[in-house]
Amino acid sequence: MIANLGYGALVLTLIVSFYGIGAALVGLRKNKPALVDSARNAMLLTFPLLTLSALSIIYLLATNHFEVEYVASVTSRSMPMYLKVTALWGGQSGSLVFWSWLMSAFASAVTLRKWDRDREFLPWVIVVSLITLAFFLALNLFVENPFTRLWALPSGQVIEAMLRPAGGSLYFPSDGRGLNPLLRHPGMIIHPPMLYLGFVSFVIPYAFAMAALITGRTDDRWIRLTRRWTLWAWMFLTLGLVLGGRWAYDVLGWGGYWGWDPVEIAAFMPWLTGTAFLHSVMIQEKRGMLKQWNMVLIILTYALVIFGTFLTRSGVLSSVHAFAQSAIGPLFFAFIGITFIVSISLLMQRWNALKAQNQMTSMLSREALFLLNNLLFLGILVVCFWGVIFPLISELFTGQKVTVGPPFYERANGPLMAGLLLLMAVAPLAAWGRSTYQTLGRAIWKPTVAAAVVLVAVIISGVTNIYAMIGIFLASLVIAVTIHQYWRGIMARRKRDGSNFLAAFTKLMQRDPRRYGGYLVHISMAMLAIGIVGIEMFQTETQGTLSQGESLELGRYTMVYDELAVFNTNDARNVARAVVSVYKDGKPVGELYPRRDFFYDSQQPMTIPGVRSTFADDFYVLLVDWEEISSNSATFKIYHNPLVKWMWVGSWVFIIGTLISAWPEKEKETAPKRSQHRVAAAAD
Amino acid sequence: MNEETTNNPVSEVPQEKTGPQWGRLAVWGGLLLLMGMLAVGLKRTQEGPVQPGQMAPEFIVTSFDGQNYNSAELRGKVIVLNFWASWCKPCEQEAADLEAAWQYYADRGDVVFLGVDYVDTEPEALGYLTKFNISYPNGPDLGTRISQAFRIRGVPETYIINQEGMLTHTQIGPFTSLAQIKAVIDPLLDQ
Amino acid sequence: MKQHSTFNLQFSTTIIFLLFLAVLAVPVTALAQDAEPYAPTDDEINAIAREMFCPVCENVPLDVCGTQACAQWRALIGEKLSQGWTEEEIKQYFVDQYGARVLSEPPREGINWLVYVVPPVAFLVGAYVLLKGLRSWRQIEPESTPLVNDEISDDYVARLEDELRKSQ
């Protein structure tokens, strides 16, 4: 029986994990490399085992095995096959298995690398990864078992159990309850895997950091080894966040992409520390400073990953991100506690060994600016963390719930984010060690003029909002500075070998992918900022009830209500779909089809907007309500969202930038490692 | 965590001079505070609604016509506390049964029915009461205080409190019949 | 007498009639004031609703929440608006009825001040520590061993700058 097979595989994985942990520890203590190798094999074995388990769930999902409780809770007969398969991460227990599977894939990939020069890390990396894995497996096996089946007892009662209860017989519901309709969206299908990928891949740098602390090899080796892992983790996490925003924009029908919901913030917090980490490790690589701080950041990131998962899944915070109330809270709580205590103790023990080899020389150096960047990121973290946790505190002391909503976060984080933009413009121009105002000024005046031109253009176009002006100016400054940097690089290269523009550009990217990929990421962040300024500060909306043929106006747009059709689909939806024509300045620019889908199996509606998207603005129509019978009149809500498209385009730029940045550099890996400076220079 | 994030840079620098002692203390203290807070939050989530066997929270219902019903003053009587709302479809299923139960016990004088209108608007609520001819006192859940005290998860939920102020039965979701309501109240009266 | 009384009667009926008119007129004019009723638009309602949260759909602003409860709340906002209430009064009414959680931010009172005070204080402390750290690092500098200067540690940039200088 497939359910038993999958369950058995999970049990076996847990046993193998425990064996691996034990073998690695004993191997270390008794100094037996064979045992460590065995632990490594155990690590590798978890992957096929978990694959088997995940495939079992997918098989059960795809073949309508509704006697399995998880299958009944997330699928129904009418769902298309691709949704049945992806329902693997549509519910608590299945997504935990998926989490473990990804985790095991990453950890296995890490253990497969050549360890010749870093043998002392290997057992500890295995131990840390396997402990994390074992924890998630334990959650699956003891609390959230995806393979529990439904049994009918002689008394007529139906219960959930893994094993057949006395006198029980399998109970087959005729249909499942179906996936939450909000999750039936392409964005939602890839959003969780991306987030999970980001989350689990941060386990790797953390495992290395712990290995470094435990073994006492506290030079920057662990950072160099995990740089690419960290970048991948960071990329997936960012994509997960962006896709979540896209999903909210397309499906939730609030005309926005980010609602400062506690669960969104829970995923955002590790991103903040992760981004700070990505920057501050460079200081350690270049200057041998901030070793302690980097440890703090990676521990914090890992802790926030676990903490975020805990917040999302334990039901401590109420949120639209519905994971049902669950009993996994206490286990998670214990795990977080242990993680914190062990990591902090280790860090304190090695605190003095982590002292800096170098000193800060100038307030204007790149490292000083990076520290400022870290301060800002942590400032945002404090705001987010405090905002998320405060309702708990308030309820504790006053017994009354409060909401900490978007206005709080926007007001508090706005200036910090503007500061980050400014740093993004200045820091790449500052040299390591020491810079002067003169050199900085020379490097920045041209881009500043360019950004000022943009600002003037924006003001002429009628923008009066001072915050918007600041935001647009800073974002343009970042883009101008970065393009100028490319330009200087390309020109210098052309001067030297006379190559053409494109060749020089490619050469530049090849020569220093980390730097120029990073610049591309900066540009993408500025584009994101432009989109955010657009929607946050210039969003307008209106709502009205129209009869057929009547129109609603918003700014330069006019929307005419043409018709509405209500019909049933063969995948158990009732769809109300309106046809509206959109005119801009009186000229027709197209038809949109806002609709409301009602899902019979889950009895939930879903509002899908009609969106016309251009680089200047989005015209976003929601069908709010309509007259059931005549469908003569209908209520629409329309939003005008300027510049949003820049966000989505920016995220593509972001992917390209991160990929370039994470591209393997052959020569560097073979360079002699212990003589630092030349390598460090090449690595910038 | 808050303490922690701000303290880490602290301990990064001055520990060479002052020693890391106070920094360590602050980190552990911050951690303890954070975990304590989480623990309390978690406990609340895990607890769910107030459980039978516990003392019911104190409450005052101010009815739509201005009468106060204080749980402390109602000691000695059985209280049937029903949370409902006019926008709540399942509430309508039990409305008639609840009223019938009230009619059944009203003459005895030792059973009190109280309706608490959760997150609702008054005109619609009054319309609902008229529609189902509900005659026992009902009032708004001012400041959502009563629902928070009972930690309800939704409506309808009904709490049966005995003469000593102890919760004896929790009904999550609607009652399905008059008999079901009687079955949870009668045992309290026979004592 | 009779005359008088007739007169009196006439007089009193007139008075009564006038009074009656007046009594009628009061509600009529009052109605007239109400009857050019100020009917708030959806936009005016949404402008207030978007800064409120309904406990039924947690973390979704009231203006976009689709539940029946929220629809009733919006209708109530419309009703209050048509009675001439200001935004502040309406919000206060909702706070009294449903608690402070309906606001998108904790009201600035009591322990809630913590939510506004802690982040800036933490940030300032962080900034102070960073500044002090940077200072102390700089002060140690003269005694410390000569540094690898930035030209060497960042030779690629240096080369680039060099070439740029030449090209200018």
Side-chain angles (χ1 to χ4, degrees):
Chain A
M1 194 129 184
I2 298 293
N4 286 331
L5 177 73
Y7 185 73
L10 274 185
V11 174
L12 215 56
T13 323
L14 186 66
I15 295 171
V16 167
S17 306
F18 280 134
Y19 168 76
I21 297 167
L25 291 175
V26 173
L28 269 168
R29 170 153 293 198
K30 302 249 166 91
N31 203 11
K32 285 188 178 149
L35 267 179
V36 174
D37 277 339
S38 170
R40 180 182 182 170
N41 290 335
M43 176 86 252
L44 293 176
L45 184 59
T46 59
F47 181 65
L49 282 174
L50 277 169
T51 309
L52 184 64
S53 188
L55 283 177
S56 312
I57 305 182
I58 290 176
Y59 174 81
L60 293 169
L61 287 166
T63 50
N64 298 329
H65 276 270
F66 298 126
E67 79 276 13
V68 176
E69 208 284 327
Y70 181 71
V71 176
S73 68
V74 292
T75 61
S76 60
R77 288 186 192 281
S78 59
M79 273 164 57
M81 185 52 78
Y82 78 100
L83 279 178
K84 285 184 182 169
V85 171
T86 52
L88 173 61
W89 52 84
Q92 179 90 275
S93 56
S95 67
L96 281 171
V97 171
F98 184 60
W99 217 105
S100 306
W101 180 73
L102 289 175
M103 164 87 221
S104 147
F106 270 67
S108 300
V110 155
T111 38
L112 276 177
R113 71 182 299 281
K114 280 207 186 81
W115 285 86
D116 311 335
R117 274 181 310 186
D118 315 291
R119 269 217 78 90
E120 67 262 47
F121 285 162
L122 176 65
W124 292 111
V125 170
I126 291 175
V127 167
V128 175
S129 314
L130 279 181
I131 288 177
T132 311
L133 186 62
F135 166 67
F136 278 92
L137 288 170
L139 288 182
N140 261 137
L141 287 176
F142 302 123
V143 192
E144 289 285 347
N145 183 352
F147 298 106
T148 349
R149 277 159 293 179
L150 298 166
W151 302 88
L153 296 182
S155 63
Q157 205 186 356
V158 174
I159 61 159
E160 282 174 41
M162 186 60 223
L163 300 172
R164 180 199 205 93
S169 56
L170 270 181
Y171 173 76
F172 296 91
S174 58
D175 200 355
R177 300 195 287 281
L179 191 63
N180 182 344
L182 291 179
L183 305 183
R184 301 181 190 190
H185 177 266
M188 201 55 203
I189 290 165
I190 34 179
H191 156 70
M194 285 296 156
L195 271 187
Y196 295 170
L197 274 172
F199 281 2
V200 298
S201 35
F202 266 121
V203 176
I204 306 299
Y206 171 77
F208 273 89
M210 287 299 106
L213 283 180
I214 297 168
T215 57
R217 186 176 168 186
T218 51
D219 61 358
D220 56 4
R221 184 66 184 149
W222 71 273
I223 283 179
R224 286 174 193 283
L225 285 174
T226 56
R227 187 182 81 86
R228 208 151 286 129
W229 289 103
T230 315
L231 265 179
W232 283 107
W234 187 70
M235 181 177 89
F236 286 128
L237 192 52
T238 316
L239 281 183
L241 289 167
V242 170
L243 282 169
R246 185 65 205 239
W247 163 74
Y249 191 73
D250 286 350
V251 172
L252 288 187
W254 350 291
Y257 56 93
W258 181 262
W260 294 104
D261 176 275
V263 168
E264 290 170 352
I265 296 175
F268 185 49
M269 288 194 291
W271 186 87
L272 290 168
T273 49
T275 315
F277 178 72
L278 273 181
H279 287 94
S280 83
V281 288
M282 286 190 241
I283 312 185
Q284 180 167 350
E285 287 178 47
K286 299 282 180 211
R287 307 288 321 269
M289 297 187 304
L290 293 187
K291 291 177 175 180
Q292 298 159 331
W293 182 233
N294 286 329
M295 282 288 174
V296 168
L297 280 179
I298 194 65
I299 290 171
L300 214 51
T301 307
Y302 176 79
L304 285 170
V305 162
I306 303 287
F307 182 69
T309 323
F310 164 73
L311 284 187
T312 324
R313 290 158 180 275
S314 66
V316 169
L317 300 171
S318 34
S319 156
V320 280
H321 292 69
F323 265 114
Q325 306 284 341
S326 167
I328 64 178
L331 274 174
F332 247 110
F333 179 76
F335 188 67
I336 292 177
I338 294 169
T339 307
F340 263 124
I341 292 169
V342 171
S343 319
I344 295 177
S345 309
L346 277 173
L347 180 63
M348 285 179 173
Q349 210 184 338
R350 296 281 177 202
W351 193 251
N352 290 332
L354 288 168
K355 284 230 176 87
Q357 295 161 339
N358 251 327
Q359 301 297 343
M360 191 70 61
T361 49
S362 159
M363 304 284 267
L364 215 60
S365 60
R366 191 176 305 175
E367 52 266 38
L369 293 177
F370 272 18
L371 279 178
L372 209 54
N373 141 315
N374 275 221
L375 175 69
L376 291 175
F377 273 116
L378 287 191
I380 299 176
L381 175 71
V382 169
V383 169
C384 290
F385 184 81
W386 190 238
V388 165
I389 215 85
F390 186 76
L392 284 180
I393 300 175
S394 162
E395 206 182 343
L396 193 63
F397 285 101
T398 64
Q400 288 291 297
K401 282 190 177 155
V402 291
T403 309
V404 181
F408 169 78
Y409 295 106
E410 281 161 12
R411 190 157 5 87
N413 287 337
L416 298 175
M417 288 177 174
L420 280 175
L421 276 178
L422 183 64
L423 277 181
M424 233 189 278
V426 178
L429 302 175
W432 293 104
R434 182 185 280 119
S435 286
T436 63
Y437 286 105
Q438 235 178 349
T439 51
L440 258 184
R442 237 187 351 226
I444 210 172
W445 76 266
K446 282 182 198 159
T448 310
V449 170
V453 169
V454 173
L455 178 64
V456 170
V458 165
I459 293 175
I460 288 174
S461 77
V463 171
T464 50
N465 182 327
I466 182 78
Y467 300 111
M469 287 183 209
I470 296 173
I472 297 272
F473 174 76
L474 288 175
S476 342
L477 186 62
V478 172
I479 294 176
V481 162
T482 317
I483 290 176
H484 189 225
Q485 288 290 93
Y486 279 119
W487 180 257
R488 286 165 79 188
I490 291 168
M491 283 303 136
R493 198 149 266 290
R494 285 189 68 183
K495 194 95 189 164
R496 197 163 60 175
D497 48 20
S499 50
N500 69 25
F501 193 85
L502 211 72
F505 182 74
T506 335
K507 210 59 185 272
L508 202 65
M509 287 288 191
Q510 281 172 347
R511 180 70 180 76
D512 198 350
R514 188 173 181 186
R515 164 191 289 237
Y516 289 99
Y519 283 171
L520 217 49
V521 172
H522 279 185
I523 290 189
S524 77
M525 289 297 151
M527 291 170 80
L528 245 61
I530 290 175
I532 292 171
V533 167
I535 194 169
E536 288 297 331
M537 304 196 185
F538 300 110
Q539 183 180 55
T540 49
E541 57 173 86
T542 188
Q543 181 176 326
T545 303
L546 306 178
S547 298
Q548 269 179 20
E550 283 187 334
S551 65
L552 199 59
E553 280 184 34
L554 182 65
R556 293 161 64 191
Y557 284 93
T558 310
M559 186 201 83
V560 180
Y561 168 37
D562 295 333
E563 54 181 325
L564 179 94
V566 182
F567 53 90
N568 285 323
T569 64
N570 53 15
D571 55 352
R573 281 178 299 157
N574 176 272
V575 176
R577 178 173 174 274
V579 180
V580 301
S581 352
V582 181
Y583 299 84
K584 187 176 188 183
D585 298 326
K587 284 187 216 94
V589 289
E591 278 186 346
L592 291 177
Y593 315 101
R595 53 178 230 263
R596 168 85 66 95
D597 291 11
F598 184 81
F599 289 80
Y600 287 113
D601 45 15
S602 55
Q603 292 284 305
Q604 282 191 60
M606 176 167 158
T607 310
I608 297 165
V611 185
R612 175 185 182 269
S613 186
T614 66
F615 276 99
D617 53 16
D618 277 21
F619 186 80
Y620 184 105
V621 188
L622 290 171
L623 175 63
V624 178
D625 203 4
W626 64 93
E627 270 174 30
E628 286 297 342
I629 303 163
S630 62
S631 46
N632 249 335
S633 80
T635 307
F636 294 94
K637 185 165 193 180
I638 52 183
Y639 289 93
H640 179 238
N641 297 332
L643 303 173
V644 185
K645 197 169 189 176
W646 287 77
M647 288 181 57
W648 316 130
V649 177
S651 32
W652 287 108
V653 177
F654 165 82
I655 298 176
I656 297 167
T658 322
L659 285 179
I660 291 175
S661 199
W663 209 254
E665 297 158 80
K666 277 272 155 50
E667 342 109 71
K668 244 175 50 193
E669 292 296 330
T670 52
K673 269 285 122 82
R674 309 279 175 176
S675 67
Q676 296 287 346
H677 285 298
R678 294 227 67 87
V679 183
D684 171 47
Chain B
M1 176 86 69
N2 184 36
E3 270 86 339
E4 208 200 336
T5 47
T6 48
N7 267 317
N8 284 323
V10 175
S11 26
E12 171 106 16
V13 189
Q15 54 107 9
E16 290 152 30
K17 292 174 234 157
T18 59
Q21 214 54 37
W22 68 268
R24 285 180 187 205
L25 255 137
V27 169
W28 288 123
L31 185 62
L32 203 71
L33 221 75
L34 168 71
M35 294 308 282
M37 234 145 56
L38 278 186
V40 174
L42 189 63
K43 189 166 153 279
R44 281 184 184 228
T45 337
Q46 298 281 317
E47 269 173 351
V50 186
Q51 292 302 316
Q54 297 174 347
M55 292 305 284
E58 300 280 304
F59 60 87
I60 300 173
V61 178
T62 306
S63 70
F64 287 116
D65 45 25
Q67 301 278 354
N68 273 337
Y69 298 87
N70 189 330
S71 62
E73 291 165 12
L74 293 173
R75 281 287 146 79
K77 295 182 181 181
V78 172
I79 305 175
V80 179
L81 189 70
N82 172 249
F83 290 92
W84 61 279
S86 66
W87 42 261
C88 152
K89 289 283 164 214
C91 298
E92 299 182 358
Q93 295 170 23
E94 65 170 6
D97 289 334
L98 275 172
E99 174 60 23
W102 164 241
Q103 295 296 345
Y104 177 79
Y105 291 109
D107 297 336
R108 302 178 47 115
D110 59 353
V111 181
V112 180
F113 277 60
L114 288 174
V116 177
D117 184 20
Y118 173 70
V119 184
D120 206 350
T121 46
E122 197 166 325
E124 283 80 4
L126 294 177
Y128 177 95
L129 293 177
T130 319
K131 181 177 168 194
F132 292 99
N133 289 319
I134 292 170
S135 59
Y136 55 87
N138 276 274
D141 180 16
L142 282 179
T144 58
R145 278 197 191 87
I146 307 173
S147 53
Q148 282 188 53
F150 280 81
R151 298 192 292 268
I152 69 166
R153 293 248 170 101
V155 276
E157 287 186 9
T158 307
Y159 296 82
I160 315 282
I161 301 161
N162 74 6
Q163 290 87 340
E164 284 78 47
M166 193 180 81
L167 196 66
T168 56
H169 182 82
T170 309
Q171 175 71 26
I172 308 294
F175 283 109
T176 48
S177 67
L178 176 60
Q180 195 194 358
I181 305 176
K182 285 186 188 166
V184 294
I185 298 175
D186 280 339
L188 302 176
L189 301 175
D190 291 340
Q191 284 166 11
Chain C
M1 269 307 267
K2 211 177 181 185
Q3 278 287 60
H4 180 76
S5 77
T6 322
F7 172 70
N8 224 353
L9 193 71
Q10 258 180 352
F11 181 67
S12 35
T13 40
T14 322
I15 295 272
I16 288 169
F17 180 64
L18 279 176
L19 267 177
F20 181 59
L21 261 189
V23 168
L24 258 184
V26 169
V28 165
T29 45
L31 268 179
Q33 271 165 2
D34 269 5
E36 56 178 309
Y38 156 62
T41 63
D42 287 345
D43 290 346
E44 287 168 307
I45 296 171
N46 282 338
I48 296 177
R50 71 181 305 170
E51 286 164 20
M52 287 170 59
F53 288 82
C54 157
V56 176
C57 35
E58 268 168 303
N59 296 305
V60 180
L62 182 58
D63 65 328
V64 286
C65 179
T67 62
Q68 180 63 29
C70 289
Q72 287 183 17
W73 278 34
R74 286 193 293 266
L76 187 62
I77 294 177
E79 197 179 301
K80 298 288 176 200
L81 274 176
S82 67
Q83 290 164 9
W85 289 35
T86 65
E87 184 176 340
E88 286 315 305
E89 287 167 343
I90 294 174
K91 283 187 177 165
Q92 191 53 48
Y93 170 81
F94 275 92
V95 169
D96 295 342
Q97 285 288 311
Y98 310 108
R101 65 203 282 193
V102 303
L103 300 176
S104 57
E105 284 187 305
R108 288 168 173 71
E109 60 189 30
I111 190 177
N112 290 341
W113 275 108
L114 276 181
V115 80
Y116 300 102
V117 170
V118 165
V121 167
F123 182 77
L124 288 178
V125 169
Y128 170 75
V129 166
L130 180 64
L131 204 71
K132 225 178 105 180
L134 288 175
R135 282 251 170 79
S136 70
W137 274 330
R138 281 178 76 200
Q139 278 157 8
I140 309 172
E141 186 201 350
E143 308 144 26
S144 67
T145 48
L147 292 165
V148 197
N149 59 30
D150 47 341
E151 279 87 339
I152 298 176
S153 73
D154 215 354
D155 64 349
Y156 181 60
V157 180
R159 221 171 40 238
L160 214 75
E161 302 286 359
D162 241 356
E163 280 158 1
L164 277 169
R165 262 195 293 281
K166 272 182 245 156
S167 69
Q168 269 167 0

